[in-house]
Amino acid sequence: MYKGTYNENGEYTGFYVDGIHENIPQPNIELTEEEWQQALSKNYKVINNKHTHSPFIQSKNNILENLKIERNLLLTESDWTQLNDSPLTEDKKTEWKNYRQALRDLTDLNDLTSIVWPTKPSY
């Protein structure tokens, strides 16, 4: 059985084999042979006590930044729906106003890992 030790940042700090090495430091996790080989590449971390491919890990700030970029683009594209001379009916303007508010509210979410984008109204 393979084991990997890691630091507070989830970076691997050592690799051991149960039965060969005694007194394996803590914290450590069990690894398959494939995970052990992957961990040696430094492209993997331990997150929530699990072997994880680190390039796919985004910080909350990165997720929020990307969300704001996409959200701002959608807001800009729909600005015209709120203008006084917009050809939309008042009901449609209200639908678009609610959609735009839902876009703004996305940045207030506590869990940014499963973002559900609001549905764009029809014209």
Side-chain angles (χ1 to χ4, degrees):
M1 178 180 320
Y2 298 96
K3 299 252 181 163
T5 57
Y6 56 95
N7 63 23
E8 64 278 354
N9 296 322
E11 298 160 338
Y12 283 103
T13 57
F15 301 97
Y16 304 87
V17 178
D18 231 0
I20 296 175
H21 299 101
E22 295 180 19
N23 302 320
I24 299 173
Q26 294 290 332
N28 67 61
I29 62 168
E30 291 183 18
L31 300 169
T32 65
E33 185 175 356
E34 179 182 5
E35 290 171 335
W36 180 66
Q37 292 294 329
Q38 291 170 343
L40 291 170
S41 74
K42 302 290 185 196
N43 290 330
Y44 290 78
K45 286 186 172 186
V46 178
I47 297 181
N48 296 327
N49 208 33
K50 292 183 183 174
H51 174 76
T52 307
H53 190 241
S54 60
F56 295 115
I57 301 164
Q58 289 189 1
S59 70
K60 184 176 179 178
N61 287 339
N62 286 350
I63 293 170
L64 190 56
E65 184 180 324
N66 290 333
L67 181 142
K68 285 180 179 180
I69 290 169
E70 180 68 22
R71 187 253 344 243
N72 290 345
L73 177 65
L74 292 170
L75 285 170
T76 300
E77 289 175 350
S78 63
D79 280 347
W80 69 271
T81 66
Q82 300 306 296
L83 297 174
N84 287 337
D85 62 350
S86 167
L88 299 176
T89 65
E90 286 304 312
D91 287 343
K92 283 294 179 183
K93 278 188 179 182
T94 300
E95 283 181 43
W96 280 92
K97 179 181 176 183
N98 293 337
Y99 164 75
R100 290 166 55 83
Q101 185 58 53
L103 287 172
R104 288 184 192 95
D105 292 343
L106 285 175
T107 56
D108 296 333
L109 298 174
N110 290 327
D111 180 14
L112 295 174
T113 59
S114 56
I115 298 166
V116 178
W117 290 86
T119 304
K120 189 183 290 189
S122 63
Y123 299 104

